[in-house]
Amino acid sequence: MGSTTTKTTSTKERITLVGVQETLMVPLLARLQDFQDPNSLLHDQWAGQILNSIDYDTTRTQSDAGLSTSMLLRARLLDVWTTEFLDKNPEATVLHLACGLDSRHLRVNWGRPGVRWIDVDFPDVIDLRKKLYSEPDTHLKGDYRMIASSVTDDGWLEDVPKDRPTIAVMEGLVMYLSLAESMKLVELIAGRFPSGEVAFDASGAMLARLQAWLKPVHKTGAVVQCGLDDPKIMEECGVTLQNQLGMVDVPGFERYPLAYRITLWIYCCLPYFKTMATYLRYSF
């Protein structure tokens, strides 16, 4: 995977992100805590390097053990789905939407020859990302680039070549979009590329009503919008549902604290609550 991939600086970058942009800190902190665990799920060695390079009050977005575990299991599942797609399509494009400061492009070894990896996020997030991540080693041969744009802005997708099978990975994104925005985004992706997949986590209407429970996210001022209780509705966008996992179906469920496991099992037996969080993969 090459030499160092984060920049070493003598002064720390001050974080000035607010709202949805600041939510990127929540999973970043979870990945650091996970790396320090002997039974790490993600083995994200870069999370600590990034956090050591920024000036930020981490107490604002600390998660409890249950929420941290949910984000780690979500990330690992999307890593697996991305890897599976690249194994089947060695010359493919990966669209990592709302990438934040995530190291997914390193964890799944984007640098295999032929892979085009594109990280997309708000301009201020991409500016910060460029300051913290070094340019990839040239010998890896992979085509890596960043696009500074909101994913809901018209036009950014026109900068992406449409010549390859493409997977769009959207972790922690759809929940902050309206259902109409999410469907439009999926439709644009499915309509542009010859074939591919769209993989993301979604929240149901009940989570939008109870979003104050997500305390570290709530502190940032971000608002959960999209209530996707029926994943089949996305098939109106030209995609076909391939995988639908509920909260208790995600591999690694046993890693949750016991109290969380009991709570999630109860939720999954109740209407509306069982779709509070789902993990979805579509093909086109």
Side-chain angles (χ1 to χ4, degrees):
M1 293 176 62
S3 58
T4 181
T5 54
T6 56
K7 294 182 178 178
T8 302
T9 59
S10 57
T11 58
K12 293 188 175 186
E13 293 291 337
R14 180 176 294 276
I15 292 289
T16 57
L17 306 174
V18 296
V20 172
Q21 292 97 316
E22 192 181 7
T23 62
L24 65 84
M25 296 300 301
V26 184
L28 182 62
L29 287 166
R31 294 197 302 274
L32 170 60
Q33 293 165 352
D34 173 65
F35 181 66
Q36 296 169 338
D37 188 329
N39 297 314
S40 175
L41 284 162
L42 290 181
H43 307 285
D44 188 343
Q45 61 183 293
W46 305 278
Q49 298 172 32
I50 292 297
L51 282 166
N52 285 335
S53 302
I54 60 178
D55 181 4
Y56 178 78
D57 179 8
T58 57
T59 60
R60 282 179 50 79
T61 48
Q62 289 279 3
S63 303
D64 60 38
L67 182 56
S68 292
T69 301
S70 71
M71 289 184 290
L72 294 168
L73 294 178
R74 174 184 72 181
R76 188 174 69 169
L77 177 63
L78 292 175
D79 282 0
V80 168
W81 284 350
T82 305
T83 300
E84 289 176 351
F85 184 83
L86 294 179
D87 287 344
K88 291 184 294 185
N89 301 276
E91 293 189 353
T93 295
V94 179
L95 293 178
H96 188 197
L97 308 186
C99 61
L101 297 179
D102 199 345
S103 62
R104 174 164 285 119
H105 66 300
L106 301 170
R107 296 199 304 269
V108 304
N109 193 13
W110 70 269
R112 350 172 170 202
V115 172
R116 175 190 296 130
W117 190 290
I118 302 176
D119 281 333
V120 184
D121 213 316
F122 291 107
D124 47 356
V125 175
I126 292 298
D127 285 346
L128 180 60
R129 188 178 181 88
K130 288 179 178 178
K131 292 175 182 177
L132 297 176
Y133 278 97
S134 299
E135 288 299 318
D137 293 343
T138 55
H139 75 272
L140 292 177
K141 299 182 181 178
D143 176 1
Y144 176 75
R145 65 188 74 172
M146 304 181 200
I147 294 179
S149 174
S150 167
V151 298
T152 60
D153 288 348
D154 293 335
W156 72 266
L157 199 55
E158 295 299 318
D159 293 332
V160 180
K162 54 183 178 180
D163 57 336
R164 304 181 184 185
T166 297
I167 181 170
V169 184
M170 305 185 291
E171 181 180 356
L173 168 62
V174 170
M175 63 194 297
Y176 299 116
L177 305 179
S178 68
L179 181 57
E181 288 173 327
S182 299
M183 294 183 70
K184 178 182 178 183
L185 179 58
V186 170
E187 184 174 22
L188 288 172
I189 291 169
R192 180 167 179 81
F193 302 102
S195 62
E197 294 180 358
V198 182
F200 59 90
D201 59 297
S203 59
M206 185 57 71
L207 184 61
R209 294 174 188 151
L210 301 176
Q211 59 188 286
W213 288 3
L214 303 174
K215 292 181 180 179
V217 174
H218 192 61
K219 287 179 181 179
T220 69
V223 177
V224 176
Q225 296 188 57
C226 184
L228 184 60
D229 290 306
D230 179 12
K232 281 285 187 179
I233 195 173
M234 280 292 176
E235 294 193 333
E236 298 176 13
C237 306
V239 295
T240 302
L241 181 62
Q242 297 296 322
N243 298 92
Q244 176 183 351
L245 301 181
M247 293 179 287
V248 301
D249 303 317
V250 177
F253 177 74
E254 71 281 356
R255 296 291 296 268
Y256 278 106
L258 177 60
Y260 259 79
R261 295 203 302 272
I262 294 172
T263 301
L264 292 180
W265 274 116
I266 293 173
Y267 282 168
C268 287
C269 295
L270 300 174
Y272 302 110
F273 280 87
K274 65 182 180 181
T275 57
M276 279 207 309
T278 52
Y279 308 90
L280 306 167
R281 176 162 58 166
Y282 298 85
S283 63
F284 59 87

